[in-house]
Amino acid sequence: MKLGRAVVVLGLVAASVGDAGQIRVGRGRGPRPVTISSETGLVFHLAEGDERAPTTERSPAAAAEPLDAEATRRVLDRLPPLVALPDDQQPFAFRERSLPPPRAGATVAQQFPPPVAPAGGAPAVPAGEPVTILRRSPEGRVPLASHLSVTFSQPMVPVGAYEDLAAKGVPVRITPEPAGKWRWVGTRTLLFEPTGRFPMATTYRVEAPSGIAPAAGTPSRAAVAWGFTTPAPTLVAKHPEGPARRDALVFASFDQRVDAQSVLAHVRMIAGQGVRAVRFATDAEVQADEDVRRLAAAAGEGRWLAFRARDPLPPDSGVTVTLDAGTPSAEGPLVTTAAQSWGFRTFGPLRVTAHRCGWQEGRCPPGAPWQIELSNPVDAATFSKDMVRVEPALSGLIVSAHGSRLVIQGRSRPRTTYRVTLAASLPDEFGQTLGAPQALTFAVGRAEPSLTAAGGELAVLDPSAGPRLSVYSTGLATLKVTVHRVAPLDWPAYRAFQERAQRDRALPAVPGTRAIARSVAVAGSPDDLVETAIDLQSALPGGLGHAIVIVEPAGPAVGGTRRQWPGRVIKWVQATRIGLDAFVDASRLIAWATALDDGRPLSGVDVQLVPQGPRAETG
């Protein structure tokens, strides 16, 4: 803006030459020139300029005649002679010479890839040391065996001949040996990779006989043998486990392939007072049961079986399904050595089994959810909110069904007893209803003390609402308010103060100058969430500026000993009429200034990065 005004002022004046020895300043032709200096020189007349439209006409070129050679020589002779400088003449600057070409060496012809037995033989090893096995895996009982690995103490094969020697034979035997492939990893480690994995339910014996010859050195002196065992069938998934129908479809899956017919012979289902006969489920029955169909797809082919009791199970009874010891596998000869079992219960009449409030026993604060446990899963497709009635009315009522649990949420009032009535038509998944209305009570206790404020660590006050900051409290009768007047340069000190204040119960030294220190009474019931407006007028002269506002409880919570400290509110408050937004990337920052009241862009706003960053003025 200053540069623009300077251009305007200079555009109003013009320069002219006057009498020698004077500099005069005047405006137009009227006023008499004013003498500035009496020294010899030029005299300038400053007058108003005449703004005229630019013209495109060009002045005619002056008439001229070219000089002849004699005239040109006479002009040049009048010039002083040129003085030669010492470095006027220099030799031609050649570039640096290129390096000489490399000398050619001897050309050696050699086969690639190298032959099986390259020249020089295998790496040298100390004479007299027999080959031994350094590492072997797996060994003992393992849950799963993906490969067999044996590492020898000396190189066993020449480099580059792994595949060929593996085809001729290997110095290790597996009994039984499944389908797979042997290969060398380096010159010392032998690997067997079965097709897929080692079959389960099998005991394997691995032997490295005596006399194993390394690539170079002394053969092994004694045979080495060990073994590993993969497990018999282990139950990994089962269904059902909660309330079930009397004709429930039972599902079991395993960690390996099994023969379903052989497994079914080892199944015992006990319900009521006796063992129940079972049969295989048909494909149609499996496809009709959504849960079993999903479990079967996840288990994989050949790893599961589905069955059910030949006769309906007794109602409201516990059912135990047991896979007896001796359950066989379809992958190996080993059988289970212990029984595996689980239980479920057939459905009975729908009834309420328990109800509670909140998450801790014996506490029911305002706003905590209420939970009602039922004996059977609720039919979510036909359940509706109208089947639950709350008295007195609960503001913001939300009722949801989760299996056999109902959850009721809303803005419950403190020190109020609510009566919840479940309708007789409340349905379960088995086509039953509650049969009769069921009434339950929830006693909401006193509100927990709290003290909060909206927004983050920096609050910008509404310019139309005046310099006031609102805080929200519960269970507090009086608030202690401390306000310190600060400037933008105090922001780093405020951040450090805030970190310490959040960590320590004792309040550290507050940056800035104290402007307000007083107590403010909280209006309204201590059981309600009350808004208290803190007047900051005396800390913000003219209603503008920056301040650090600290609000703390002035005394103990209303109603006795509080369970937890309500905390404190610490805010950097800014009262301004300017809204500032910024975008920053790796190389620049762009800032926009707008009016907070109507959002119009503002020009002439001085923007600076603190504490010592650049500053600019908005356009």
Side-chain angles (χ1 to χ4, degrees), residues 349-489:
L350 179 61
R351 63 184 185 276
V352 176
T353 58
H355 69 286
R356 63 182 182 273
C357 172
W359 303 271
Q360 297 183 11
E361 191 67 28
R363 294 183 59 193
C364 188
W370 306 336
Q371 301 184 44
I372 302 174
E373 297 289 344
L374 300 167
S375 58
N376 298 329
V378 176
D379 186 1
T382 58
F383 171 76
S384 66
K385 177 181 175 181
D386 299 336
M387 298 176 180
V388 179
R389 186 174 75 254
V390 181
E391 298 172 311
L394 183 63
S395 177
L397 175 64
I398 299 176
V399 182
S400 56
H402 305 273
S404 58
R405 187 174 73 253
L406 293 177
V407 179
I408 302 174
Q409 295 175 289
R411 294 188 291 274
S412 55
R413 295 187 55 80
R415 294 190 292 182
T416 303
T417 298
Y418 289 87
R419 180 184 177 90
V420 177
T421 304
L422 305 181
S425 59
L426 182 70
D428 66 9
E429 289 185 347
F430 308 113
Q432 303 180 119
T433 63
L434 198 57
Q438 179 73 50
L440 308 168
T441 59
F442 294 89
V444 181
R446 186 181 299 275
E448 294 289 343
S450 65
L451 177 60
T452 59
E457 59 187 359
L458 185 147
V460 179
L461 302 182
D462 185 352
S464 62
R468 288 188 295 271
L469 175 68
S470 291
V471 296
Y472 303 88
S473 62
T474 302
L476 301 177
T478 310
L479 302 177
K480 177 184 176 182
V481 179
T482 306
V483 181
H484 283 232
R485 189 182 298 113
V486 289
L489 290 177

Side-chain angles (χ1 to χ4, degrees), residues 130-470:
V131 62
T132 59
I133 294 178
L134 298 180
R135 292 181 297 275
R136 59 199 189 191
S137 175
E139 187 173 7
R141 293 187 176 275
V142 294
L144 190 71
S146 60
H147 64 273
L148 171 70
S149 173
V150 182
T151 301
F152 297 90
S153 62
Q154 299 180 21
M156 302 296 293
V157 293
V159 177
Y162 308 147
E163 297 296 335
D164 294 339
L165 290 184
K168 295 177 182 179
V170 293
V172 175
R173 293 194 298 269
I174 305 176
T175 306
E177 181 175 326
K181 181 179 180 181
W182 291 94
R183 68 185 181 93
W184 287 96
V185 180
T187 60
R188 301 187 183 194
T189 300
L190 181 62
L191 200 68
F192 178 75
E193 296 175 318
T195 302
R197 56 165 172 75
F198 278 96
M200 305 288 275
T202 306
T203 296
Y204 297 90
R205 176 179 172 81
V206 186
E207 183 180 7
S210 62
I212 297 177
T218 304
S220 63
R221 294 175 180 174
V224 178
W226 71 96
F228 63 94
T229 301
T230 53
T234 301
L235 190 65
V236 294
K238 58 266 190 188
H239 173 81
E241 294 184 89
R245 306 181 64 89
R246 296 177 61 192
D247 59 348
L249 205 62
V250 183
F251 174 89
S253 67
F254 302 88
D255 61 348
Q256 56 194 275
R257 290 183 295 106
V258 294
D259 178 58
Q261 190 68 46
S262 300
V263 172
L264 188 64
H266 290 77
V267 170
R268 283 187 300 120
M269 181 183 291
I270 300 176
Q273 300 298 321
V275 178
R276 305 287 170 166
V278 296
R279 65 169 178 85
F280 275 119
T282 65
D283 291 340
E285 290 173 332
V286 171
Q287 295 302 317
D289 192 306
E290 180 181 353
D291 293 329
V292 174
R293 184 176 70 250
R294 174 179 49 82
L295 291 170
E301 185 177 358
R303 294 191 174 201
W304 60 273
L305 72 157
F307 54 94
R308 70 186 344 155
R310 292 186 178 274
D311 299 318
L313 298 171
D316 200 15
S317 298
V319 181
T320 302
V321 180
T322 302
L323 301 173
D324 288 330
T327 302
S329 169
E331 297 188 17
L334 299 183
V335 297
T336 59
T337 59
Q340 304 175 76
S341 63
W342 82 95
F344 61 92
R345 191 175 186 85
T346 56
F347 73 89
L350 179 61
R351 63 184 185 276
V352 176
T353 58
H355 69 286
R356 63 182 182 273
C357 172
W359 303 271
Q360 297 183 11
E361 191 67 28
R363 294 183 59 193
C364 188
W370 306 336
Q371 301 184 44
I372 302 174
E373 297 289 344
L374 300 167
S375 58
N376 298 329
V378 176
D379 186 1
T382 58
F383 171 76
S384 66
K385 177 181 175 181
D386 299 336
M387 298 176 180
V388 179
R389 186 174 75 254
V390 181
E391 298 172 311
L394 183 63
S395 177
L397 175 64
I398 299 176
V399 182
S400 56
H402 305 273
S404 58
R405 187 174 73 253
L406 293 177
V407 179
I408 302 174
Q409 295 175 289
R411 294 188 291 274
S412 55
R413 295 187 55 80
R415 294 190 292 182
T416 303
T417 298
Y418 289 87
R419 180 184 177 90
V420 177
T421 304
L422 305 181
S425 59
L426 182 70
D428 66 9
E429 289 185 347
F430 308 113
Q432 303 180 119
T433 63
L434 198 57
Q438 179 73 50
L440 308 168
T441 59
F442 294 89
V444 181
R446 186 181 299 275
E448 294 289 343
S450 65
L451 177 60
T452 59
E457 59 187 359
L458 185 147
V460 179
L461 302 182
D462 185 352
S464 62
R468 288 188 295 271
L469 175 68
S470 291

Side-chain angles (χ1 to χ4, degrees), residues 54-65:
T55 177
T56 57
E57 297 180 359
R58 300 183 60 180
S59 302
E65 295 181 0

Side-chain angles (χ1 to χ4, degrees), residues 10 12-18 24-26 43-50:
L10 294 178
L12 297 177
V13 302
S16 61
V17 180
R24 299 190 176 98
V25 179
V43 175
F44 294 90
H45 289 273
L46 302 183
E48 295 289 344
D50 185 10

